[in-house]
């Protein structure tokens, strides 16, 4: 696709040169510094501007038109990573599409389970003297060696890649810590006294400095590997659904279509459709692609794309959108757009661009580790060199260096986020709250605006009969009974709402015969010899010779000004009553808005519905800031406008039309009763669909983030206090490993405090 010219960070591009966007899928990144390195490499190419997103593992490259994309792949490969150009968006959807992230998560799980099985006996033997039989240390070596080498191989490999490019990350420290502990253990076993019969592990905090060569640290090497693998696996699980939003969007579309060719009907795959094909869409079928109605009249349910509950009446010359549902009569549609040009594919690109454009959230531990890792490496070298210059034996110098690396090994750092996330999300699931991953939490600390979609979020999203207004001299039950009897022959959602209301009230329905539907206008049937009409006021007065009084018209105007659908019931040439059908506000919505305000959040109502319906709902729940009649693109624009004003925005929605806005918002919250695409594009999902639980989600996310920050503070404070002792050679490396393990226990115990989190309903004594 062609974009406007702009200057790049590499060689300037003349303004007359057209630019094109190329997307890359990148594998091999382990932290945000990897994304920064790839970005810098790509931006050095002439005329290129690139943005690499670690969270989505994608790069968006803008380059002069005609540039060979192969050079982008080679540049990424030269940086030590892999990249491919993904297939077009319309070809990648479906449940059968390969999910590389899922494969990586499964590979990590296998590595974690095998490493854990080998590590547990090593730790038990090392920590419990009663289990230390003769030559137990050699069994420990046999079990720990695969863990330290194969189990930690992803960290060793990443550290080597970083080293080739002159960088050090958390992987570097993990790798060096594991290899140092394992390497010293090999030295102690083969060249020290640790391999002799009767060797026992000591547990003194301040052991003899010269005793290092008789101690092994195999349990440290193995345990650190397992702990960090656990953190990586949890992270992989949280991020493996990064492409789910697009897959969910495209899976909404029809899989096949009935095409009119040569005077006969043929069923073909949607991918085989071309512009100009005429397809037959029967009631209950999805429209295959965007097009123009040629024959037939029907009601089309577009809620999966628009989020709005009222079906749209369509007839000849009306445009329809692919993936919407035909709920009325038979239609013949001439296809006008296919593949990447359809509205569904365009919405998919909106979600993808919103996700890619969102700033990658760098983990707190990674930010600090940019300084922490090189400092620890330097301190280990200083400890070794200092003891050697002071005339100490090489065993003592090496012990001090190894102890410095071991005690600084970031086990607690690796557990700080996933343990809090596990406990927080576990508690959240009890409350009906699903948090997608740690990257979500950082956005909650400054959220000050919450944007709410109307239909399905603040309202139920279902058509219901809200009132029966009868004219003078008529009986409400009689009017409803006759209307429901006539509507019993209709498949229209408005008619079904009338029938459902009559059944709920226990009204006996008279028998109706000679049913007839007038597409887009109304229905009629004969009851006890009398023709009963139910439909639009204009249809009754203009086409059915029915008198619609001023009182009836006034009731219709009042209902429609509030965004509801009004149908007039008439017989014997005169209007008898008005049925008002519309969406209803959820019972908890007003309380939820009040709770948002108490949390300091400014509520904004955003809807594709008309201004009357939006204003009516806003008045009921107490929202003053309302944006009505907005398209999916318009919703995205409102989010970005608020962000441009300096607002930190949370978006709550449930429809596919909300998915781009959910992805672009600083915090996306999807209602669980909504579409898969909206849920996949969001950061938090409220399973119950209760808006009051959204307030709990914000509170829980903030509380979890606070716990993570506390964990990280402890992890770094512990290192600051313990590293000097290790450098002095006073700390037994085994105790260094035990101290490191204690720091992990502290992190876990601190995270468990999240189990006491209580939702609003629990606090008030209601059901969670």
């Amino acid at each position: 696709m062609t974009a406007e010219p702009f200057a790049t960070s590499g060689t300037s591009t003349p303004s007359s040169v057209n630019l094109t966007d190329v997307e890359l899928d990148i594998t091999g990144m382990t932290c945000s510094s990897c994304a920064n390195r790839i970005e810098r490499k790509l931006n050095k190419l002439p005329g290129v501007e690139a943005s690499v997103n670690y969270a989505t593992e994608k790069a968006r490259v803008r380059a002069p038109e005609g540039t060979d994309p192969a050079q982008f792949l080679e540049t990424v490969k030269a940086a030590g990573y892999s990249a491919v150009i993904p297939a077009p968006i319309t070809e990648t959807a479906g449940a059968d599409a390969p999910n590389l992230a899922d494969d990586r998560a499964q590979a990590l799980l296998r590595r974690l389970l095998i490493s854990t099985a080998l590590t547990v006996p090593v730790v038990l033997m090392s920590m419990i003297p009663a289990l230390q039989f003769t030559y137990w240390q050699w069994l420990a070596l046999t079990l720990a060696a695969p863990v330290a080498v194969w189990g930690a191989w992803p960290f060793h490999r990443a550290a080597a890649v970083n080293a080739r490019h002159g960088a050090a990350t958390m992987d570097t420290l993990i790798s060096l810590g594991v290899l140092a502990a394992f390497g010293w253990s090999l030295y102690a076993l083969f060249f020290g006294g640790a391999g002799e019969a009767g060797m026992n592990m000591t547990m003194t905090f301040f052991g003899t400095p010269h005793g290092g060569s008789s101690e092994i640290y195999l349990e440290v090497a193995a345990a650190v590997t397992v702990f960090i693998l656990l953190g990586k696996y949890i992270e992989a699980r949280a991020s493996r659904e990064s492409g789910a939003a697009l897959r969910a969007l495209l899976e909404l579309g029809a899989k096949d279509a009935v095409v009119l060719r040569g005077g006969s009907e043929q069923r073909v795959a949607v991918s085989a459709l071309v512009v100009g094909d005429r397809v037959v869409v029967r009631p209950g079928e999805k429209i295959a692609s965007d097009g123009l109605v040629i024959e037939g009249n029907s009601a089309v349910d577009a809620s999966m794309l628009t989020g709005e509950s009222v079906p749209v009446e369509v007839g000849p010359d009306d445009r329809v959108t692919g993936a919407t549902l035909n709920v009325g009569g038979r239609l013949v549609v001439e296809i006008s757009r296919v593949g990447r040009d359809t509205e569904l594919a365009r919405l998919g690109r909106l979600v993808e661009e919103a996700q890619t454009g969102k700033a990658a959230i760098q983990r707190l531990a990674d930010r600090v580790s940019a300084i922490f890792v090189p400092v620890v490496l330097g301190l280990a070298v200083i400890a070794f060199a200092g003891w050697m210059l002071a005339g100490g034996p090489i065993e003592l110098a090496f012990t001090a260096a190894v102890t410095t690396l071991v005690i600084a090994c970031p086990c607690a750092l690796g557990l700080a986020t996933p343990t809090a996330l596990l406990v927080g999300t576990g508690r959240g699931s009890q409350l009906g709250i699903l948090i997608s991953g740690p990257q979500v939490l950082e956005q909650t600390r400054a959220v000050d605006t919450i944007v709410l979609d109307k239909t399905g979020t603040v309202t139920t999203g279902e058509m219901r009969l809200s009132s029966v207004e009868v004219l003078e001299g008529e009986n409400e039950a009689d009017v409803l009974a006759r209307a429901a009897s006539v509507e019993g022959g209709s498949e229209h959602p408005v008619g079904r709402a009338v029938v459902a209301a009559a059944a709920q009230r226990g009204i006996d329905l008279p028998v109706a015969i000679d049913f007839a539907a007038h597409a887009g206008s109304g229905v009629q049937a004969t009851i006890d010899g009398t023709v009963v009409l139910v439909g639009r006021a204009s249809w009754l007065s203009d086409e059915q010779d029915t008198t619609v009084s001023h009182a009836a018209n006034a009731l219709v105007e009042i209902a429609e000004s509030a965004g509801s659908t009004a149908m007039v019931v008439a017989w014997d040439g005169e209007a008898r009553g008005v049925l008002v059908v519309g969406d209803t506000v959820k019972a908890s919505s007003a309380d939820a808005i009040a709770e948002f305000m108490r949390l300091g959040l400014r509520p904004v109502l955003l809807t594709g519905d008309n201004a009357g319906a939006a204003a009516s709902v806003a008045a009921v729940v107490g929202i003053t800031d309302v944006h009505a009649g907005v398209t999916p693109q318009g919703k995205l624009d409102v989010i970005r406008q608020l962000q441009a004003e300096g607002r930190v925005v949370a978006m709550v929605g449930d429809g596919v039309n909300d998915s781009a806005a959910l992805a672009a918002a600083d915090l996306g919250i999807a209602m669980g009763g909504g579409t898969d695409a909206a849920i996949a594009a969001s950061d938090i999902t409220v399973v119950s669909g209760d808006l009051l639980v959204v307030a709990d989600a914000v509170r829980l996310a903030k509380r979890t983030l606070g716990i993570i920050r506390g964990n990280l503070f402890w992890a770094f404070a512990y290192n600051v206090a313990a590293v000097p002792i290790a450098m002095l050679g006073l700390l037994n490396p085994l105790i260094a490993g035990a101290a490191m393990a204690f720091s992990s226990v502290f992190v876990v115990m601190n995270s468990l405090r999240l189990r006491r989190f209580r939702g609003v309903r629990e606090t008030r004594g209601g059901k969670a």
Side-chain angles (χ1 to χ4, degrees), residues 50 58 84 100 108 141 179 194 281 362 528 663 711:
K58 292 181 181 293
V84 295
L100 297 178
L108 271 173
L141 173 63
L179 291 178
V281 187
Q362 190 175 8
D528 296 332
N711 288 347

Side-chain angles (χ1 to χ4, degrees), residues 640-670:
R640 287 176 171 164
Q641 179 184 346
L642 289 169
Q643 291 171 329
E645 294 171 359
R647 314 292 295 187
V648 181
V649 182
M651 168 71 188
V652 186
D654 74 324
V656 175
N657 64 313
D658 302 320
S659 53
L662 285 166
D666 298 289
L667 184 68
I669 304 175

Side-chain angles (χ1 to χ4, degrees), residues 545-556:
D545 295 328
T546 298
T547 300
V548 181
S549 64
H550 291 297
N553 279 318
L555 291 171
V556 171

